[in-house]
PDB file of all heavy atoms in Angstrom:
ATOM      1  N   ALA P  97      -7.273  -8.182  39.725  1.00  0.00           N
ATOM      2  CA  ALA P  97      -6.555  -8.223  38.446  1.00  0.00           C
ATOM      3  C   ALA P  97      -5.754  -6.940  38.251  1.00  0.00           C
ATOM      4  O   ALA P  97      -4.629  -6.967  37.730  1.00  0.00           O
ATOM      5  CB  ALA P  97      -7.538  -8.421  37.299  1.00  0.00           C
ATOM      6  N   PHE P  98      -6.294  -5.803  38.663  1.00  0.00           N
ATOM      7  CA  PHE P  98      -5.588  -4.517  38.586  1.00  0.00           C
ATOM      8  C   PHE P  98      -4.326  -4.557  39.434  1.00  0.00           C
ATOM      9  O   PHE P  98      -3.267  -4.108  39.016  1.00  0.00           O
ATOM     10  CB  PHE P  98      -6.529  -3.397  39.058  1.00  0.00           C
ATOM     11  CG  PHE P  98      -5.945  -2.021  38.986  1.00  0.00           C
ATOM     12  CD1 PHE P  98      -5.990  -1.298  37.803  1.00  0.00           C
ATOM     13  CD2 PHE P  98      -5.367  -1.434  40.098  1.00  0.00           C
ATOM     14  CE1 PHE P  98      -5.465  -0.013  37.736  1.00  0.00           C
ATOM     15  CE2 PHE P  98      -4.850  -0.155  40.040  1.00  0.00           C
ATOM     16  CZ  PHE P  98      -4.894   0.555  38.848  1.00  0.00           C
ATOM     17  N   GLY P 101      -1.950  -7.417  37.968  1.00  0.00           N
ATOM     18  CA  GLY P 101      -1.565  -7.165  36.582  1.00  0.00           C
ATOM     19  C   GLY P 101      -1.859  -8.322  35.645  1.00  0.00           C
ATOM     20  O   GLY P 101      -1.487  -8.291  34.478  1.00  0.00           O
ATOM     21  N   THR P 102      -2.529  -9.358  36.156  1.00  0.00           N
ATOM     22  CA  THR P 102      -2.885 -10.498  35.310  1.00  0.00           C
ATOM     23  C   THR P 102      -4.290 -10.980  35.642  1.00  0.00           C
ATOM     24  O   THR P 102      -4.774 -10.815  36.761  1.00  0.00           O
ATOM     25  CB  THR P 102      -1.927 -11.685  35.498  1.00  0.00           C
ATOM     26  OG1 THR P 102      -1.953 -12.090  36.864  1.00  0.00           O
ATOM     27  CG2 THR P 102      -0.518 -11.339  35.093  1.00  0.00           C
ATOM     28  N   TYR P 103      -4.932 -11.568  34.654  1.00  0.00           N
ATOM     29  CA  TYR P 103      -6.231 -12.206  34.854  1.00  0.00           C
ATOM     30  C   TYR P 103      -6.267 -13.446  33.971  1.00  0.00           C
ATOM     31  O   TYR P 103      -5.877 -13.392  32.805  1.00  0.00           O
ATOM     32  CB  TYR P 103      -7.385 -11.273  34.482  1.00  0.00           C
ATOM     33  CG  TYR P 103      -8.729 -11.934  34.633  1.00  0.00           C
ATOM     34  CD1 TYR P 103      -9.283 -12.120  35.888  1.00  0.00           C
ATOM     35  CD2 TYR P 103      -9.417 -12.401  33.523  1.00  0.00           C
ATOM     36  CE1 TYR P 103     -10.512 -12.749  36.040  1.00  0.00           C
ATOM     37  CE2 TYR P 103     -10.642 -13.030  33.665  1.00  0.00           C
ATOM     38  CZ  TYR P 103     -11.182 -13.205  34.926  1.00  0.00           C
ATOM     39  OH  TYR P 103     -12.386 -13.837  35.072  1.00  0.00           O
ATOM     40  N   SER P 113      -4.790 -16.073  29.468  1.00  0.00           N
ATOM     41  CA  SER P 113      -4.286 -15.072  30.405  1.00  0.00           C
ATOM     42  C   SER P 113      -4.206 -13.711  29.742  1.00  0.00           C
ATOM     43  O   SER P 113      -3.861 -13.598  28.557  1.00  0.00           O
ATOM     44  CB  SER P 113      -2.906 -15.465  30.923  1.00  0.00           C
ATOM     45  OG  SER P 113      -3.006 -16.612  31.728  1.00  0.00           O
ATOM     46  N   TYR P 114      -4.502 -12.685  30.521  1.00  0.00           N
ATOM     47  CA  TYR P 114      -4.443 -11.295  30.071  1.00  0.00           C
ATOM     48  C   TYR P 114      -3.540 -10.523  31.019  1.00  0.00           C
ATOM     49  O   TYR P 114      -3.506 -10.797  32.207  1.00  0.00           O
ATOM     50  CB  TYR P 114      -5.823 -10.649  30.078  1.00  0.00           C
ATOM     51  CG  TYR P 114      -6.822 -11.346  29.181  1.00  0.00           C
ATOM     52  CD1 TYR P 114      -7.672 -12.313  29.680  1.00  0.00           C
ATOM     53  CD2 TYR P 114      -6.908 -11.027  27.839  1.00  0.00           C
ATOM     54  CE1 TYR P 114      -8.585 -12.948  28.866  1.00  0.00           C
ATOM     55  CE2 TYR P 114      -7.812 -11.664  27.010  1.00  0.00           C
ATOM     56  CZ  TYR P 114      -8.652 -12.625  27.528  1.00  0.00           C
ATOM     57  OH  TYR P 114      -9.549 -13.246  26.715  1.00  0.00           O
ATOM     58  N   GLY P 115      -2.863  -9.518  30.505  1.00  0.00           N
ATOM     59  CA  GLY P 115      -2.026  -8.649  31.317  1.00  0.00           C
ATOM     60  C   GLY P 115      -0.558  -9.034  31.267  1.00  0.00           C
ATOM     61  O   GLY P 115      -0.196 -10.131  30.838  1.00  0.00           O
ATOM     62  N   ASP P 116       0.292  -8.105  31.725  1.00  0.00           N
ATOM     63  CA  ASP P 116       1.729  -8.333  31.691  1.00  0.00           C
ATOM     64  C   ASP P 116       2.351  -8.459  33.084  1.00  0.00           C
ATOM     65  O   ASP P 116       3.564  -8.496  33.229  1.00  0.00           O
ATOM     66  CB  ASP P 116       2.428  -7.216  30.911  1.00  0.00           C
ATOM     67  CG  ASP P 116       2.198  -5.844  31.506  1.00  0.00           C
ATOM     68  OD1 ASP P 116       1.630  -5.739  32.613  1.00  0.00           O
ATOM     69  OD2 ASP P 116       2.573  -4.850  30.852  1.00  0.00           O
ATOM     70  N   GLY P 117       1.519  -8.492  34.131  1.00  0.00           N
ATOM     71  CA  GLY P 117       2.030  -8.684  35.487  1.00  0.00           C
ATOM     72  C   GLY P 117       2.446  -7.414  36.201  1.00  0.00           C
ATOM     73  O   GLY P 117       2.925  -7.467  37.332  1.00  0.00           O
ATOM     74  N   ARG P 118       2.270  -6.250  35.575  1.00  0.00           N
ATOM     75  CA  ARG P 118       2.605  -4.995  36.245  1.00  0.00           C
ATOM     76  C   ARG P 118       1.377  -4.426  36.945  1.00  0.00           C
ATOM     77  O   ARG P 118       0.268  -4.519  36.433  1.00  0.00           O
ATOM     78  CB  ARG P 118       3.122  -3.959  35.239  1.00  0.00           C
ATOM     79  CG  ARG P 118       4.463  -4.316  34.660  1.00  0.00           C
ATOM     80  CD  ARG P 118       4.950  -3.241  33.699  1.00  0.00           C
ATOM     81  NE  ARG P 118       3.950  -3.055  32.652  1.00  0.00           N
ATOM     82  CZ  ARG P 118       3.759  -1.903  32.011  1.00  0.00           C
ATOM     83  NH1 ARG P 118       4.471  -0.857  32.306  1.00  0.00           N
ATOM     84  NH2 ARG P 118       2.850  -1.808  31.078  1.00  0.00           N
ATOM     85  N   GLY P 120      -1.536  -2.265  37.958  1.00  0.00           N
ATOM     86  CA  GLY P 120      -2.323  -1.300  37.210  1.00  0.00           C
ATOM     87  C   GLY P 120      -2.483  -1.607  35.743  1.00  0.00           C
ATOM     88  O   GLY P 120      -3.003  -0.772  35.004  1.00  0.00           O
ATOM     89  N   CYS P 121      -2.074  -2.782  35.307  1.00  0.00           N
ATOM     90  CA  CYS P 121      -2.206  -3.137  33.885  1.00  0.00           C
ATOM     91  C   CYS P 121      -3.692  -3.266  33.540  1.00  0.00           C
ATOM     92  O   CYS P 121      -4.386  -4.137  34.051  1.00  0.00           O
ATOM     93  CB  CYS P 121      -1.470  -4.440  33.592  1.00  0.00           C
ATOM     94  SG  CYS P 121      -1.661  -4.980  31.899  1.00  0.00           S
ATOM     95  N   LEU P 122      -4.180  -2.386  32.674  1.00  0.00           N
ATOM     96  CA  LEU P 122      -5.598  -2.399  32.321  1.00  0.00           C
ATOM     97  C   LEU P 122      -5.963  -3.525  31.362  1.00  0.00           C
ATOM     98  O   LEU P 122      -7.132  -3.822  31.182  1.00  0.00           O
ATOM     99  CB  LEU P 122      -6.003  -1.043  31.738  1.00  0.00           C
ATOM    100  CG  LEU P 122      -5.958   0.116  32.718  1.00  0.00           C
ATOM    101  CD1 LEU P 122      -6.354   1.414  32.017  1.00  0.00           C
ATOM    102  CD2 LEU P 122      -6.841  -0.121  33.921  1.00  0.00           C
ATOM    103  N   ALA P 123      -4.979  -4.177  30.751  1.00  0.00           N
ATOM    104  CA  ALA P 123      -5.260  -5.318  29.886  1.00  0.00           C
ATOM    105  C   ALA P 123      -5.796  -6.493  30.696  1.00  0.00           C
ATOM    106  O   ALA P 123      -6.527  -7.331  30.173  1.00  0.00           O
ATOM    107  CB  ALA P 123      -4.012  -5.741  29.129  1.00  0.00           C
ATOM    108  N   SER P 124      -5.445  -6.547  31.977  1.00  0.00           N
ATOM    109  CA  SER P 124      -5.917  -7.652  32.823  1.00  0.00           C
ATOM    110  C   SER P 124      -7.348  -7.395  33.226  1.00  0.00           C
ATOM    111  O   SER P 124      -8.059  -8.236  33.636  1.00  0.00           O
ATOM    112  CB  SER P 124      -5.019  -7.810  34.029  1.00  0.00           C
ATOM    113  OG  SER P 124      -5.032  -6.653  34.836  1.00  0.00           O
TER     114      SER P 124
END
Side-chain angles (χ1 to χ4, degrees):
F98 182 85
T102 59
Y103 178 76
S113 293
Y114 300 94
D116 60 8
R118 292 182 303 151
C121 177
L122 293 179
S124 62

